[in-house]
Amino acid sequence: MGHLPGLLARALKSPAWKRHLGDIDVAHVNSRPALAGCGHAQGGTPCNAEGRAAVWRFHSDEPERIGRMFTSPGPIYEPEGRQDDPWRAARGLFAAGFRSGDRVLNTFSYHLTPGGFIMDGAARSIGCTVIPAGPGNTDQQLDVIEHLRPRPIPERPTS
């Protein structure tokens, strides 16, 4: 939460976020209850062309810090940092029993949305070998499971 006031100050440079968040005192938004008092963005906010451009401008003031830019329905644009495990998901995988040396079949999509890369980066940061399968190719994935015996990351099956 310590980084939140600085992040909000950067966001307020974008006209779209300034309109959305209003006149907030970023110095006082330093806890979860204070954050809950701010307006929140739901899928598609801001969704007009001006808003989408503003979101990119918000993230592009330091392009060297962005490793990937994802898009999700809405549209929502999500930047990913360049550090190991930028989504901080490794802790959850470790708590679930994943360990260095495990083989992981990652069935999350790697296309436009961050899910595949979230799990990939988390697993690799704790020393797992990742098989980047994504959804689909069920027959080939079954062959991989039979031959390599990975410890799969669950994802809903696709055909």
Side-chain angles (χ1 to χ4, degrees):
M1 297 304 285
H3 296 290
L4 188 56
L7 177 65
L8 288 171
R10 286 182 38 220
L12 289 174
K13 292 178 184 176
S14 158
W17 283 111
K18 176 80 171 155
R19 278 193 307 278
H20 181 74
L21 294 171
D23 291 323
I24 61 171
D25 182 354
V26 297
H28 291 97
V29 184
N30 54 10
S31 67
R32 288 193 170 121
L35 180 60
C38 295
H40 68 282
Q42 296 186 8
T45 303
C47 62
N48 60 20
E50 176 189 349
R52 288 191 298 271
V55 168
W56 176 248
R57 283 192 305 275
F58 168 62
H59 294 298
S60 64
D61 64 337
E62 296 175 307
E64 68 280 356
R65 295 181 63 188
I66 299 173
R68 294 183 180 94
M69 181 65 77
F70 299 104
T71 182
S72 295
I76 299 169
Y77 295 101
E78 302 164 282
E80 179 183 85
R82 294 186 180 275
Q83 68 274 31
D84 287 340
D85 191 28
W87 301 94
R88 299 180 181 168
R91 186 174 174 181
L93 289 184
F94 191 84
F98 289 82
R99 297 296 183 264
S100 181
D102 285 346
R103 285 178 287 236
V104 176
L105 179 67
N106 187 2
T107 62
F108 280 85
S109 175
Y110 282 76
H111 307 288
L112 294 176
T113 60
F117 288 100
I118 291 171
M119 292 300 156
D120 187 291
R124 290 186 312 121
S125 74
I126 58 176
C128 296
T129 299
V130 176
I131 305 160
N137 300 314
T138 306
D139 291 340
Q140 188 177 8
Q141 287 195 35
L142 290 172
D143 288 342
V144 167
I145 291 168
E146 182 181 352
H147 297 136
L148 300 179
R149 303 280 186 215
R151 180 185 185 121
I153 295 177
E155 170 70 344
R156 64 186 178 104
T158 60
S159 56

